[in-house]
Amino acid sequence: MASMSSLISPPNLTKLSFKPQLKQPFLQIPQPNLPKNLVLSSRPRKLRLSVAAEERTSTVASPSSEADRRLYIGNIPRTVNNDQLKEIVEEHGAVEKAEVMYDKYSGRSRRFAFVTMKTVEDANAAIEKLNGTEIGGREIKVNITEKPIAQVDLSLLQAEDSLYVDSPHKVYVGNLAKTVTSDTLKKFFSEKGKVMSAKVSRVPGTSKSGGFGFVSFSSEEEVEAAISSFNNAMLEGQQIRVNKA
């Protein structure tokens, strides 16, 4: 019979040796003098550069960069709308927004628009490819929008526009010379009848004439007389077009 000691003694086990595993030393990289919101951290085989959130959001485009991407497109046909203009310009670069200008009184297109391109390169490409070309038989002008005129001059122009007296009886006058003013237009039409008011429309934010204007009268008979007398007449070297607004 086996002894009691043999029953409680564990069997012979192979002796295993264990060696302590040395930890990999932490890689220390001296940190240069960095801004407070810039943190340089390092780990074995990995280098990470962390930038504070406010730095990442500081890349928003400045207003000046948008101005460099904004195009003025003039002398477009009245039938061209925002979507059609965007489609035309997109053939030469990515378009962010296209906006045809309309007269607030008549609802008619003012024959010009503003198009904001995605990049300055797109804007330059559109100018190069489109300026001087034709849309619907009209030679268009494409360039970077002009800088706003001085505030004092802009205030004077706004005051002039506020003097315009609107009326349901008015005519649209197109193909005006750039030198024609609201006062010139009123005096010209006053030669054949009584004019309530007249104004030359301008490119928004500038003193530049939009090449068209409106003349208001007190009756429909005066409108018909003005169209009969002045349509295709010469005003400061250009043949003007006159029709109902």
Side-chain angles (χ1 to χ4, degrees):
M1 183 175 178
S3 63
M4 182 64 68
S5 60
S6 64
L7 293 176
I8 62 175
S9 297
N12 292 332
L13 299 175
T14 303
K15 292 184 178 180
L16 300 177
S17 61
F18 296 91
K19 293 182 180 180
Q21 186 176 0
L22 297 178
K23 292 185 178 179
Q24 187 174 0
F26 185 76
L27 179 60
Q28 295 184 351
I29 298 178
Q31 295 191 13
N33 293 328
L34 297 174
K36 292 182 179 180
N37 57 357
L38 195 64
V39 180
L40 188 65
S41 62
S42 59
R43 293 179 181 176
R45 306 193 207 114
K46 185 175 181 181
L47 185 66
R48 183 177 64 188
L49 190 65
S50 302
V51 182
E54 61 266 26
E55 288 294 322
R56 293 196 298 269
T57 59
S58 64
T59 58
V60 179
S62 64
S64 60
S65 66
E66 181 176 348
D68 293 336
R69 297 181 286 113
R70 193 168 187 248
L71 303 178
Y72 165 83
I73 303 182
N75 201 36
I76 60 176
R78 291 192 191 282
T79 54
V80 173
N81 59 31
N82 295 346
D83 292 336
Q84 292 170 331
L85 184 62
K86 182 178 181 180
E87 185 177 347
I88 292 170
V89 180
E90 274 184 331
E91 294 180 5
H92 308 288
V95 175
E96 190 173 284
K97 180 175 64 174
E99 187 176 12
V100 175
M101 297 292 105
Y102 292 90
D103 183 77
K104 65 180 180 179
Y105 298 107
S106 66
R108 293 160 60 99
S109 166
R110 298 173 67 181
R111 292 195 187 279
F112 70 92
F114 294 103
V115 177
T116 303
M117 308 298 289
K118 289 287 181 68
T119 67
V120 174
E121 290 75 16
D122 289 330
N124 291 333
I127 293 172
E128 181 180 350
K129 299 294 184 180
L130 290 174
N131 187 40
T133 61
E134 289 190 357
I135 297 179
R138 303 180 67 86
E139 183 177 323
I140 63 172
K141 181 178 181 181
V142 184
N143 55 32
I144 297 295
T145 52
E146 298 178 356
K147 293 181 179 180
I149 59 176
Q151 185 63 38
V152 60
D153 295 331
L154 184 58
S155 298
L156 291 174
L157 293 175
Q158 290 173 339
E160 179 183 298
D161 288 343
S162 68
L163 296 176
Y164 175 73
V165 180
D166 192 24
S167 165
H169 312 294
K170 59 178 178 284
V171 296
Y172 165 86
V173 187
N175 200 38
L176 291 175
K178 301 301 182 184
T179 54
V180 173
T181 65
S182 298
D183 190 51
T184 304
L185 192 61
K186 183 175 182 178
K187 289 179 179 178
F188 183 75
F189 276 81
S190 294
E191 294 176 2
K192 298 290 184 178
K194 186 176 180 181
V195 173
M196 286 180 60
S197 192
K199 76 166 183 174
V200 172
S201 292
R202 303 181 186 278
V203 176
T206 76
S207 59
K208 183 178 179 180
S209 168
F212 67 96
F214 296 92
V215 181
S216 60
F217 300 90
S218 58
S219 69
E220 195 64 24
E221 291 74 16
E222 291 173 328
V223 169
E224 296 294 343
I227 295 173
S228 177
S229 300
F230 296 110
N231 187 38
N232 295 322
M234 298 296 294
L235 175 58
E236 296 197 4
Q238 287 193 195
Q239 188 178 48
I240 62 175
R241 298 187 304 274
V242 183
N243 49 45
K244 287 185 179 181

